[in-house]
Amino acid sequence: VHGGCSRTLRGVMSDEWEDLLGSGAMLKKLVREGPGQRPQNKQTIVFHVIMRLLDEAHTIVMNTYDTNKPMKFQAGDNHTDIILGITLAVRLMNEGEKASYRFTQARYGYGAEGNPAIGVPPDSPLECDIEIVALQDIEKEPEDMDPQELVPVVKQKKDRGNELYRRKQYHEAIQCYDIALKMLSASQHDSPELRELRVHCGNNKAASLEHLDQLVEAKQACVEVLECDPDNFKALLRGGSIALIQNEFEEATLAFKRAQEVNPNNATVRSKLRELNRKISDHREAEKRMFGGWVDRNKKDTTTSQKAASTEHSIPSQVTPQTTATSDTSRTSKPQTTSPSTASVAKQSESSNSTDDGEADDGEADDERDEIIPEQKLQKQKRKPWWRESVLLLIAMLPILIAVWWKNKQFEHL
């Protein structure tokens, strides 16, 4: 079968290669026209392929005719383990068509990594003979599948994501895991195998996000795993480690302690707990240095304000006797020779001393008191209100209080 099919596929209806992309990266030579239709979106394309290296021997590295296991590809699915060149080629062919393709750029094949499992070296151009065997109707939606139908479909996405993860193609891997998780969420069924797939895909998605430094999303993926399996060690350890990086000490403490209960002898958890305690201690020292000096300055300013206030209240008691003595002297020293203005002032002083409450009205202060009042007003203007320091301290602590509240709220889901 291999020899006959190989000779047939290598037969040439036209000696000309068609440049499909205009760059020479993807060439097509038609072998046989297909009587059927082009694949529709979400239809499953069933096809055979013979893959060769473009070396002198045209070494065959894949032949699905030998195994009698044609490949399958769902049109529109960009997250598959089939190489990019083939996924583009089969979308351009009709059912029953045969054609040869050359992918002269490695990115349409197995890229810079190659595929050692089948003998494809890195950066290898490829030639593929492809025959479209059938087009299958659109598959059931995940919510319409029973567990036996859904498990292999989800596994295919998970395995593709794992392969991309090994190649460090984390963005593409995350897309595969997301598709698998979306299928599982849409299903109305529940089984141990489906839950296990959900946990695996969630943990792998979290690991991929962590490699991309998307820590918030990675921790959320861990939370979703723990909602399915509260004792999952990987999710607890990874979620706690991310919380530690984010200085979310309460979350990290809970996660690590739970992980230690699940796996008491794990050295990584013990190391993380030591790191957590050290970081908490350093954080407290930093807070003490930051706020300790501010509090000391606040106390010093308050003490200074209190001293200024006591000094201010002591000034009138010292001035009043002097004012009274001066007015008495002015009445007794020259009673016969006082000028009209002096007599008027003396008379006003007598009337002020005879009031019931002993306080002077606004217009009866003497010259010495007039000199004190502006100084008192100046001190009152400089003096800070007693409540100002408390308000400033509260404002300074408000972001910390909000952050602690938010951490507690977020960790309720962990």
Side-chain angles (χ1 to χ4, degrees), residues 151-214:
V151 166
V153 177
V154 174
K155 276 186 175 180
Q156 183 183 16
K157 298 300 179 186
K158 177 183 74 72
D159 293 341
R160 174 58 177 166
N162 293 348
E163 177 63 27
L164 292 167
Y165 180 89
R166 284 191 288 270
R167 296 182 187 178
K168 299 182 179 180
Q169 298 176 359
Y170 301 119
H171 288 288
E172 293 80 2
I174 291 168
Q175 291 174 350
C176 289
Y177 297 135
D178 278 338
I179 293 174
L181 290 168
K182 194 174 294 184
M183 289 181 175
L184 292 168
S185 298
S187 175
Q188 303 299 320
H189 301 282
D190 188 20
S191 69
E193 195 169 10
L194 291 177
R195 287 195 296 271
E196 184 180 359
L197 283 171
R198 183 177 286 108
V199 168
H200 286 324
C201 291
N203 276 327
N204 294 346
K205 176 184 176 181
S208 301
L209 289 165
E210 190 176 14
H211 278 290
L212 296 173
D213 289 330
Q214 298 180 18

Side-chain angles (χ1 to χ4, degrees), residues 10-123:
R10 290 174 66 84
V12 177
M13 293 179 59
S14 171
D15 291 334
E16 298 296 329
W17 289 87
E18 182 183 359
D19 187 352
L20 297 179
L21 303 179
S23 61
M26 184 174 174
L27 306 176
K28 176 182 178 180
K29 182 187 289 186
L30 182 64
V31 176
R32 186 185 67 201
E33 293 184 352
Q37 301 294 321
R38 287 277 177 96
Q40 301 298 313
N41 197 36
K42 291 190 175 181
Q43 275 190 315
T44 299
I45 307 169
V46 184
F47 60 96
H48 280 293
V49 60
I50 300 175
M51 184 182 294
R52 305 179 186 83
L53 300 178
L54 286 177
D55 54 8
E56 293 182 358
H58 278 68
T59 305
I60 296 177
V61 294
M62 181 188 297
N63 189 340
T64 60
Y65 290 103
D66 287 346
T67 60
N68 197 27
K69 291 182 179 180
M71 301 181 74
K72 293 183 178 181
F73 168 68
Q74 187 178 23
D77 183 4
N78 297 322
H79 312 293
T80 174
D81 55 355
I82 301 173
I83 63 172
L84 176 61
I86 291 179
T87 62
L88 294 175
V90 295
R91 293 295 304 271
L92 301 174
M93 300 175 67
N94 296 333
E95 185 178 6
E97 181 179 334
K98 295 181 180 180
S100 295
Y101 289 86
R102 282 183 178 174
F103 309 118
T104 60
Q105 293 183 6
R107 70 188 189 94
Y108 292 99
Y110 290 100
E113 298 84 9
N115 191 341
I118 62 175
V120 178
D123 296 315

